Amino acid sequence: GLYDEPESNFGFNRARIGVMGNIPYDFSYYVLLETSPFKKDGPKAYLLDAFVTYKRFSFANISAGSFKVPFGLELGTACHALHTINRSKVVSELTAPDRDMGIMLLGGSDTTLFRYAVSYTNGTGLLVKDADTYKDFVGRVMVQPTSWMHLGASYKTGKSTNLEDPTLDDNTTMRYGFEAEVNYANFLFQGEYIYGEDEGTYTV
């Protein structure tokens, strides 16, 4: 049965190594490799991130390569800054694929009133070749009136060719989300809402 074989194993969830740097005079690079042998089926070592950024203008940087898509508060939080080991189930499910290949335009910083990022990607995720001409569009904007508070909104839309059921139209996906964070005097409040709609073979 399901509970006949108890488990007691040592392991680790992440084993990552990376390099980053600058290329004179206006470019930077970032490469991150996941090497954990305890990950789900697939290659035991693979690229998580590998992108080059043109950063001449702080209000409009351009990145190209493989990167985390800009959607939402929790997905946008680096692993070392999470309050739990993994991201929540709802975020993992509704924002998948969390990493993809394409181009991204982003601007602003922790000290600016507005911060934004928009990406145009394959929509298939890591290590998967795009089988059609459709792409995903993902965007996130944040308003930061103070150094200890921000409000944000995200949107994602995409389409893929329906190869499984000829009676249905192409697959479509849509997500939108809202976020808020207050981090003041050792008090932290965070909240995030995500809504999603899928049509096509997702429903079969």
Side-chain angles (χ1 to χ4, degrees):
L2 181 61
Y3 302 104
D4 290 346
E5 298 293 335
E7 292 185 1
S8 179
N9 297 307
F10 290 108
F12 45 84
N13 191 39
R14 301 179 182 97
R16 297 176 177 177
I17 185 171
V19 294
M20 60 185 297
N22 295 308
I23 307 172
Y25 289 95
D26 299 317
F27 292 88
S28 65
Y29 60 89
Y30 183 95
V31 179
L32 184 65
L33 185 70
E34 173 64 75
T35 66
S36 173
F38 299 97
K39 289 295 185 182
K40 60 184 179 181
D41 295 338
K44 296 304 180 185
Y46 55 93
L47 282 174
L48 280 176
D49 298 311
F51 58 87
V52 174
T53 301
Y54 178 70
K55 55 179 187 174
R56 166 67 69 89
F57 308 106
S58 61
F59 59 87
N61 295 337
I62 301 175
S63 295
S66 172
F67 46 77
K68 187 183 294 183
V69 295
F71 190 101
L73 173 62
E74 191 171 307
L75 183 61
T77 301
C79 293
H80 71 272
L82 292 172
H83 301 289
T84 56
I85 296 174
N86 294 313
R87 290 178 173 83
S88 61
K89 184 74 171 177
V90 64
V91 169
S92 297
E93 292 289 337
L94 287 180
T95 61
D98 61 343
R99 283 179 165 86
D100 211 340
M101 295 192 67
I103 58 175
M104 179 164 55
L105 177 68
L106 61 160
S109 68
D110 291 337
T111 61
T112 57
L113 178 60
F114 293 100
R115 192 172 185 175
Y116 74 93
V118 292
S119 68
Y120 186 68
T121 59
N122 286 334
T124 54
L126 292 180
L127 310 176
V128 179
K129 184 179 179 180
D130 197 355
D132 53 39
T133 60
Y134 295 130
K135 296 289 181 279
D136 278 9
F137 172 83
V138 185
R140 181 189 184 197
V141 62
M142 291 185 289
V143 181
Q144 305 172 133
T146 70
S147 61
W148 46 268
M149 179 181 73
H150 87 259
L151 303 172
S154 301
Y155 181 76
K156 173 182 178 179
T157 183
K159 184 182 285 190
S160 61
T161 301
N162 177 2
L163 301 175
E164 299 179 26
D165 190 340
T167 64
L168 297 174
D169 294 331
D170 288 336
N171 304 314
T172 62
T173 182
M174 185 278 296
R175 304 282 187 270
Y176 66 77
F178 302 100
E179 63 186 83
E181 178 180 278
V182 175
N183 191 350
Y184 183 77
N186 295 321
F187 171 81
L188 173 65
F189 169 83
Q190 291 179 321
E192 178 170 24
Y193 172 81
I194 302 175
Y195 174 84
E197 276 185 20
D198 294 317
E199 296 183 2
T201 53
Y202 300 108
T203 62
V204 176

